[in-house]
Amino acid sequence: MVASGSAQVDPDAPSPVDVDQGGPALVEAALGGPDPVEAASGGPGPVEVGPGGPDPLEVASDEASPGEPDPVETAPDEVGSAGPDLGAVTQATAGESGGAGDVPRRQLAGRRRATVAPEPAPELSDAELRGALEAILLVVDEPVSELVLAQVLEQPAERVGPMLDEIAAGYTAAGHGFELRRAAGGWRLYTRPEYATYVERFVLDGQSVRLTQAALETLAVVAYKQPVTRSRISAIRGVNCDGVIRTLVTRGLIEECGTETDSGAFLYRTTTLFLEKLGLNTVDELPPLAPFLPDDVEELADATR
């Protein structure tokens, strides 16, 4: 700060008119106190300018420390036309503060948009899990996997699999007319084979068989010889099977599965729907053909050669 005090003016000093005409400038008369550089540093008191004394600007510049700017010299530069524009400085400062303030606002907005994790579903008891599985299995129209059941019930798959095995064992032990078994990679309720006669009588009474004998024979050939070509099927049956194969493909019981390497003919195999209709998990569970073959099958094979 600049110290204030009464100015001591030499009565013999020249008037301001003389100073403007070429005399030395009266620094103390203009500032109203001692030189700020000397007052802050504890130097000598106000410089009294005589008619032939040194220029107070030069004295202040010489006595100031080398590393500090002269307040008399720097003041015009900061306020003058060559200095920085105060309006520009204010806008830049406001822009910088606004940019810095945007970061917390963006972070806060991101925090607001963050979704809250849903609470985990309550764990069902064994009785509740068993009842829920039985209810779903009664309404499904195709085998359903353990993963799908676990997702629907929001329960661990490690609990669903053992519970399905327990339910299937319970049905078997109780002697129900239906059973729960794996089929086509999933689980589904089926009637027991020992009651097939009654079920067949109920279902087929007054209804025609959906597949013809030719379609059933062709389907059997595909099931046991898959993958197999049309020509191979026709050779086994002894008739052209193109129309029957188209029917089986349309009904979703067989499908194309590539081509033969040598001839380029299409290969056919059974589908998941086929396994579902027969209640099988894989084609390896198909019954063996040996019990259904005639005793003279080798003689018949030799006769056709």
Side-chain angles (χ1 to χ4, degrees):
M1 296 181 62
V2 179
S4 61
S6 59
Q8 298 179 2
V9 181
D10 189 355
D12 298 332
S15 63
V17 178
D18 298 334
V19 174
D20 295 338
Q21 294 176 358
L26 299 180
V27 177
E28 293 184 23
L31 300 178
D35 186 48
V37 176
E38 296 181 358
S41 60
V47 180
E48 296 183 1
V49 181
D55 189 353
L57 296 179
E58 296 179 0
V59 174
S61 175
D62 294 338
E63 293 181 357
S65 60
E68 296 179 0
D70 185 7
V72 179
E73 293 181 356
T74 56
D77 294 337
E78 294 177 357
V79 182
S81 59
D85 187 3
L86 295 179
V89 172
T90 304
Q91 294 178 359
T93 306
E96 292 176 0
S97 62
D102 289 343
V103 176
R105 285 198 294 271
R106 286 195 295 267
Q107 294 176 354
L108 188 58
R111 292 173 185 171
R112 293 196 190 100
R113 289 195 298 268
T115 57
V116 180
E119 297 181 359
E123 184 176 354
L124 300 177
S125 63
D126 291 344
E128 292 175 336
L129 180 60
R130 180 189 182 95
L133 290 173
E134 290 176 337
I136 294 176
L137 291 171
L138 281 173
V139 298
V140 297
D141 56 356
E142 61 183 10
V144 57
S145 65
E146 299 176 5
L147 181 59
V148 174
L149 291 172
Q151 292 176 347
V152 171
L153 299 177
E154 297 182 347
Q155 298 297 313
E158 293 77 9
R159 292 191 61 202
V160 174
M163 181 58 68
L164 291 171
D165 292 331
E166 182 180 340
I167 294 173
Y171 290 164
T172 303
H176 291 300
F178 57 89
E179 63 180 351
L180 176 63
R181 65 172 183 259
R182 291 181 181 272
W187 292 84
R188 190 179 181 185
L189 293 171
Y190 292 90
T191 58
R192 293 194 179 276
E194 52 266 31
Y195 303 108
T197 304
Y198 307 103
V199 176
E200 182 179 359
R201 188 185 305 169
F202 174 78
V203 174
L204 300 180
D205 188 15
Q207 300 181 15
S208 61
V209 180
R210 295 184 179 182
L211 291 179
T212 63
Q213 185 65 27
L216 290 174
E217 292 177 359
T218 303
L219 183 59
V221 173
V222 175
Y224 283 95
K225 294 292 186 179
Q226 62 183 317
V228 62
T229 62
R230 290 189 183 188
S231 59
R232 179 61 177 164
I233 298 172
S234 299
I236 293 175
R237 293 195 61 232
V239 294
N240 190 311
C241 301
D242 291 347
V244 179
I245 290 176
R246 284 195 296 268
T247 300
L248 294 175
V249 171
T250 303
R251 303 228 175 153
L253 296 175
I254 64 173
E255 64 183 358
E256 296 180 358
C257 61
T259 57
E260 194 175 36
T261 305
D262 299 334
S263 62
F266 289 107
L267 295 170
Y268 292 90
R269 66 182 178 188
T270 56
T271 62
T272 304
L273 180 62
F274 170 80
L275 297 176
E276 178 187 340
K277 294 298 183 181
L278 294 184
L280 304 176
N281 193 34
T282 62
V283 292
D284 297 333
E285 298 179 3
L286 288 170
L289 287 177
F292 302 97
L293 295 177
D295 296 336
D296 56 347
V297 61
E298 295 182 358
E299 298 178 0
L300 294 175
D302 295 338
T304 55
R305 291 177 183 174

